[in-house]
Amino acid sequence: MKKISILGSTGSIGKQTIDIVCKQKDIQILGLTANTNIDLLEKQIELVKPKVVAVMDEQKASILKKRIGSKVEVLSGMDGLIRVATLEKVDIVVTAVVGMIGIRPTVEAIKASKDIALANKETLVTAGQIIMDLIKEYKVNIFPVDSEHSAIFQSLKGENKKEVSKILLTASGGPFRGKKTEQLKDITKDQALNHPNWSMGAKITIDSATLMNKGLEVIEAKWLFDVAPNQIQVVVHPQSIIHSMVEYNDGSVIAQLGVPDMRIPIQYALNYPKRLENNIRKLDLFKVASLTFEEPDIKTFRCLKLAYRALEEGGSILSVLNAANELAVKKFLENKVRFLEIPEIIEYAMDKHCNIKNPSLTNIFEAEKETYEIIESKWG
Ligand SMILES: NC(=O)C1=CN([C@@H]2O[C@H](COP(=O)(O)OP(=O)(O)OC[C@H]3O[C@@H](n4cnc5c(N)ncnc54)[C@H](OP(=O)(O)O)[C@@H]3O)[C@@H](O)[C@H]2O)C=CC1
Ligand SMILES: CC(=O)[C@@H](O)[C@H](O)COP(=O)(O)O
Ligand SMILES: [Mn+2]
């Protein structure tokens, strides 16, 4: 019986993880976490019957404790998340929280010798060197949940890494594919939240609209697969049927295709190397009108280039890129800044930063704090 914990169980990935795992008899969920959504967490406790849950928000945690008594241990705050991430009998931790808040519980889970099923890309973007060093030191596995990285992982299987010439990272292009800057001046939150192919949490959906998600995924791919930035080519593929590809030195390109349903990469990560049957609809190629490919429009969607800039520079600037993006997206979702201000805010913070090569965790958190202060001083 494989035992797992889900950090961020009340979110899009968390809910889909529960959905797919509940159909399996050989996986047991021991821990769940939420930020504030205790109503959904309470329902998940009924369904999953975990041993321990953690709610980041202390007040919400005490309300939940009063509601459910001693049925399950209810913890709170970062200490609570870390406890769920390091539960003694847990084999795999699914990191499905959103944002670089995931860094500490992920570090502690690895130090507790847990395998990581990683969806929380912000942790790799900001602390990738530290995480990958710890993965090696503690001899644990990291299984990509992110659909593109799962596709790359599957396209690399059984191959010689030395024969890889490049990774072809696919992107839907988001809801504004083909639009020019002039047309993006008055984009509303609802327009940006309307992803053409995927139903996801709010933050990643905005990231897909600005193409920052693809930028974060380039960085995620560098750390997961140890390739140089110039070996990662973004390919806009509006149908989101090919989830990414690997080109080899003989010119062959290996890809993974499927319907856009995150339960497939989630299930693969949790059952690797086995593939399990499921009731997810299968790809019907006769219903696919066409598979098309185009270059990303890096002039209109400036976030992708900012991500490559941070990756090429390396160091704490990656935390500045991510933290600035998290804050800018939050402000956009609160109708405090316009869509086109998101890259402006990020570039402003990056230009102000004195980069630290090989940052420690302290440097990373300091860079995050400094970034928030710099942005609030101008957009507060
Ligand atoms: N959704 C998708 O299809 C995909 C997501 N990913 C990545 O997976 C991660 C999760 O994404 P997604 O599921 O869409 O996100 P959601 O916003 O849907 O869910 C986020 C989860 O994290 C919790 N959370 C949010 N903020 C905090 C915090 N400060 N401290 C502790 N917990 C917190 C939320 O709790 P609460 O519900 O209480 O707010 C929720 O459980 C992201 O890194 C995303 O980029 C990658 C590929 C696809
Ligand atoms: C489902 C998933 O993995 C998301 O990262 C999705 O790929 C975002 O779509 P974009 O390709 O539009 O960024
Ligand atoms: Mn993705």
Side-chain angles (χ1 to χ4, degrees), residues 322-334:
N322 184 75
N325 182 58
E326 287 188 27
L327 183 55
V329 168
K330 182 171 178 294
K331 287 180 177 293
F332 174 71
L333 288 169
E334 291 167 350

Side-chain angles (χ1 to χ4, degrees), residues 120-320:
N120 174 233
K121 64 190 81 176
E122 294 91 348
T123 285
L124 266 196
V125 167
T126 51
Q129 188 65 67
I130 292 169
I131 295 293
M132 297 317 286
D133 289 349
L134 284 171
I135 290 281
K136 287 191 194 77
E137 183 187 348
Y138 286 83
K139 298 185 181 52
V140 296
N141 296 299
I142 185 164
F143 301 114
V145 169
D146 205 345
S147 67
E148 296 82 1
H149 305 75
S150 178
I152 296 161
F153 182 58
Q154 295 180 56
S155 304
L156 284 168
K157 196 167 174 226
E159 301 286 350
N160 180 343
K161 276 281 307 316
K162 294 192 184 73
E163 292 162 3
V164 170
S165 44
K166 67 180 164 185
I167 283 173
L168 298 163
L169 185 70
T170 51
S172 74
F176 309 130
R177 182 176 62 86
K179 290 196 184 302
K180 294 300 171 197
T181 306
E182 193 47 39
Q183 298 163 282
L184 299 177
K185 283 194 175 345
D186 302 318
I187 289 296
T188 65
K189 181 168 83 168
D190 290 344
Q191 287 169 322
L193 284 170
N194 184 21
H195 195 282
N197 302 326
W198 298 92
S199 161
M200 310 180 285
K203 193 255 180 190
I204 185 174
T205 306
I206 302 303
D207 287 349
S208 297
T210 64
L211 252 59
M212 179 55 91
N213 182 53
K214 221 38 66 178
L216 300 180
E217 293 188 347
V218 167
I219 300 163
E220 183 183 7
K222 175 258 181 312
W223 292 117
L224 281 173
F225 307 113
D226 189 19
V227 290
N230 63 11
Q231 280 185 287
I232 307 169
Q233 182 180 12
V234 171
V235 176
V236 173
H237 163 53
Q239 297 80 22
S240 299
I241 298 276
I242 299 176
H243 299 305
S244 278
M245 306 170 258
V246 178
E247 182 190 279
Y248 290 91
N249 57 5
D250 64 352
S252 300
V253 177
I254 310 289
Q256 185 257 346
L257 288 73
V259 294
D261 187 319
M262 276 307 291
R263 292 174 299 168
I264 296 175
I266 292 168
Q267 184 182 57
Y268 188 73
L270 290 176
N271 292 282
Y272 181 80
K274 279 188 298 179
R275 287 183 189 279
L276 302 187
E277 286 182 15
N278 55 48
N279 62 359
I280 299 165
R281 74 182 170 91
K282 302 300 178 259
L283 182 60
D284 179 349
L285 286 174
F286 298 125
K287 291 217 172 75
V288 175
S290 59
L291 296 178
T292 59
F293 308 94
E294 51 194 71
E295 299 227 17
D297 175 356
I298 57 171
K299 194 166 166 294
T300 307
F301 301 95
R302 299 197 306 113
C303 285
L304 184 53
K305 211 164 166 201
L306 289 170
Y308 269 105
R309 172 185 150 189
L311 180 57
E312 275 140 21
E313 208 171 322
S316 55
I317 190 92
L318 286 159
S319 298
V320 174

